[in-house]
Amino acid sequence: MCGIVGAVSQRNIVPVLVQGLERLEYRGYDSCGVAVYVQSPLSDRVGLRRARSTSRVAELALQVQGAGGEHTGLEGHLGIAHTRWATHGVPSVSNAHPHFSHGPGSDSHQRPGRIALVHNGIIENHDELRASLRAKNYVFVSQTDTEVIAHLVDSLYDGDLFDAVQAAVNQLQGAFAIAVFCKDEPNRLVGARAGSPLILGVGKDGQEHFLASDAMALAGVTDQIVYLEEGDRVDVQLGKYWLKDKVGKPVAPEQRPVKTVLAHSGAAELGPYRHYMQKEIFEQPRAIGDTLEGIEGIVPELFDQQMNHVPGANAARVFDAIDSVLILACGTSYYSGCTAKYWLESIAKLPTQVEVASEYRYRDSVPNPNTLVVTITQSGETADTLAALRHAISLGMRHTLTICNVATSAMVRECSLAYVTRAGVEIGVASTKAFTTQLAGLFLLTLALAQAKGRLSAAEEQQHLKAMRHLPAALQAVLALEPQIISWSEDFAKRENALFLGRGLHYPIALEGALKLKEITYIHAEAYPAGELKHGPLALVTSEMPVVTVAPNDALLEKLKSNLHEVRARGGVLYVLADADTRIESGDGMHVIRMPEHYGALSPLLHVVPLQLLAYHTACARGTDVDKPRNLAKSVTVE
């Protein structure tokens, strides 16, 4: 989702800002822009200047290099840049960040005011603030809530930008991360965060400093990172920086230590692949292998988070104390949690509840202080999941654990325990390898809890570990099915609707398959427990409605076969992913792909891969933007 990069330096910082935006492209965006303070000796070039685009960052790069337009050919030692995912106002140049203030008496089209600002998040009281600022003759030229902040800072400015920003954020309601500079203080950059991530990058020898929403934006520029905490405000100048916390108290350096973070560039090589999504699907054997590397036994200490040093956060003590599990997640991560519910209740014998994070904090619930609250997130910055975690903690549920792919994320820092998966950077918006590594981490959590509760024998532990070690090879065998799946995709590309069916442990996998198809092909797809067909969805089945079925050889197989007959009796066309020994054969209206082997409890990790490939190749056949589907963002940092 929206990305921020800012810098104050002794060199021209524009190339760094544009490169930072390029490295944030994977998050998803619909407009982008950069603003600098220009100190050219040419009088008509001094002051705030910007370039903005509703195209890709590559087009913005041409603008700032001087490819046309009155504000192009930008150079400056102080600047901010942004990728925007539209919330307030349509994607347009006028709504794109950075925004300038337009104070009383200034010409909003020719002479911008003194404040330049970028913003991630949503300001909930923007209407009231807008009305107040209009009464003071401030001019609004966009539909965004962000422009309100720029004008508000301007209205409070009295010679000290940090003081103005502090006063402004105290009036804001909602979630935000902002980076601001003022033309009257050309060597100063100020940032603040509340509910959205923001980091400080410390440059070489302290002669330049950076702000960003993601350490990846600064990859190759600096690996010295300070993570701002909730409510922090930061004052960044040449050669120095300092912070204050949410109550305005100065923050000592040891309270926000500089950490070395080796972020990898999002501009990874595609190699032989057409898209990042395809590459990431095929990276899953490696990602699972890395996630499980070095695991010789299932011990609770795998989930100790050493970064936090939270008192009482020893996993063995926590696992012994808890008597239930609450899983909080969104989207694909929610479906991994739904899968884990089956494992946790059948193997660890722990009652498990799975909640959509965006809904959980808005309803009355019955908290249990002996619950282990598990959050699942690829980025570790998902706003809805972070808010749900904080809500659970506020209810007295202090035992928290996250399954996350980013070790330096807000989620890992805020949870007392963590298992960090090792999927690597995932650029495609539709999650693939992050999902399967989440499942691997959740299965390990299940085994660790079962062991802690005395519900896992040594023989069972070894059997499960053997199966997990074989996963990379098993996934390679599934990926070899790609040519057969391409054949299916040629038919799916002509359809506008699809049904996905699964039973038991594989119902969440059907949900995930439907989500993947709708995300990148724009085909309407729904998933149901197969036994629910006769309770309504069967009315939709015709020869034009492909029905994808996940058919492992498990205890529900015979029930599932009856559901398949229900579809065929109504003229429906079935596409079945069947284990080899299910005795489900191809025939008229029945297309079957045989899975290489039955994999028991870990079968969901194998069955989801053909569904990922089906969505991918169908999208290719339909000509959609696979890696950056419309209206979606990779890291959803607003509510």
Side-chain angles (χ1 to χ4, degrees), residues 269-290:
E269 293 296 327
L270 274 173
Y273 302 102
R274 291 176 61 187
H275 301 93
Y276 284 109
M277 182 179 178
Q278 184 186 29
K279 177 176 182 284
E280 287 153 9
I281 290 171
F282 277 82
E283 285 177 339
Q284 287 176 111
R286 189 275 309 158
I288 292 291
D290 288 351

Side-chain angles (χ1 to χ4, degrees), residues 27 193 195-198 213 227 377-384 386 404 406 408-411 413 635-638:
R27 295 163 69 104
R193 64 151 297 187
S196 290
L198 192 68
S213 53
Y227 286 93
T377 163
Q378 182 270 327
S379 68
E381 306 290 352
T382 307
D384 286 322
L386 281 166
C404 182
V406 182
T408 55
S409 65
M411 191 67 73
R413 296 197 306 276
S635 180
V636 186
T637 56
V638 298

Side-chain angles (χ1 to χ4, degrees), residues 579-596:
D579 284 349
D581 49 0
T582 54
R583 297 189 300 280
I584 299 175
E585 305 294 337
S586 294
D588 183 38
M590 176 81 80
H591 306 277
V592 179
I593 290 179
R594 302 241 173 249
M595 297 292 288

Side-chain angles (χ1 to χ4, degrees), residues 59-274:
E59 194 275 336
L60 179 70
L62 293 176
Q63 284 194 51
V64 301
Q65 290 165 11
E70 63 173 316
H71 297 318
T72 58
L74 297 181
E75 289 187 12
H77 301 284
L78 171 69
I80 50 179
H82 192 264
T83 52
R84 175 180 187 253
W85 187 80
T87 53
H88 294 76
V90 299
S92 68
V93 171
S94 63
N95 288 330
H97 300 209
H99 285 285
F100 293 163
S101 62
H102 303 293
S106 70
D107 183 329
S108 64
H109 297 290
Q110 300 299 324
R111 293 195 300 110
R114 55 193 171 188
I115 301 297
L117 182 143
V118 291
H119 160 231
N120 289 353
I122 291 176
I123 304 304
E124 295 173 356
N125 61 332
H126 66 95
D127 282 335
E128 302 95 298
L129 292 171
R130 190 189 309 270
S132 173
L133 290 161
R134 277 185 170 145
K136 298 177 182 178
N137 297 319
Y138 278 88
V139 178
F140 287 84
V141 296
S142 79
Q143 302 166 301
T144 68
D145 54 343
T146 302
E147 191 181 9
V148 171
I149 315 174
H151 291 342
L152 182 61
V153 173
D154 184 279
S155 73
L156 296 166
Y157 184 76
D158 189 25
D160 189 297
L161 181 61
F162 188 76
D163 288 348
V165 170
Q166 282 204 104
V169 299
N170 288 337
Q171 297 185 38
L172 301 179
Q173 297 172 13
F176 57 85
I178 59 174
V180 194
F181 72 85
C182 176
K183 73 178 183 66
D184 296 338
E185 300 181 69
N187 293 308
R188 194 178 200 185
L189 179 66
V190 175
R193 64 151 297 187
S196 290
L198 192 68
I199 64 168
L200 166 69
V202 179
K204 186 177 181 181
D205 300 324
Q207 294 306 301
E208 59 182 12
H209 296 308
F210 309 89
L211 293 178
S213 53
D214 188 325
M216 187 181 296
L218 305 180
V221 178
T222 181
D223 60 2
Q224 300 300 292
I225 302 297
V226 177
Y227 286 93
L228 304 190
E229 297 296 331
E230 184 71 5
D232 280 356
R233 300 93 188 259
V234 59
D235 193 340
V236 182
Q237 301 186 36
L238 279 177
K240 58 185 177 180
Y241 67 86
W242 60 86
L243 294 93
K244 290 187 177 181
D245 64 17
K246 60 185 176 182
V247 296
K249 181 181 178 181
V251 176
E254 60 270 18
Q255 293 177 283
R256 306 286 188 273
V258 177
K259 298 181 178 180
T260 300
V261 176
L262 300 177
H264 298 285
S265 168
E269 293 296 327
L270 274 173
Y273 302 102
R274 291 176 61 187

Side-chain angles (χ1 to χ4, degrees), residues 471-493:
L471 272 173
L475 284 166
Q476 288 286 10
V478 174
L479 289 167
L481 300 173
E482 186 180 33
Q484 298 176 60
I485 295 162
I486 292 173
S487 177
W488 281 12
S489 71
E490 293 168 356
D491 184 39
F492 272 74

Side-chain angles (χ1 to χ4, degrees), residues 73 79 108 202 263 350 416 420 428 531 542-543 590 619:
S108 64
V202 179
L350 283 170
S416 54
V420 178
T542 70
S543 59
M590 176 81 80

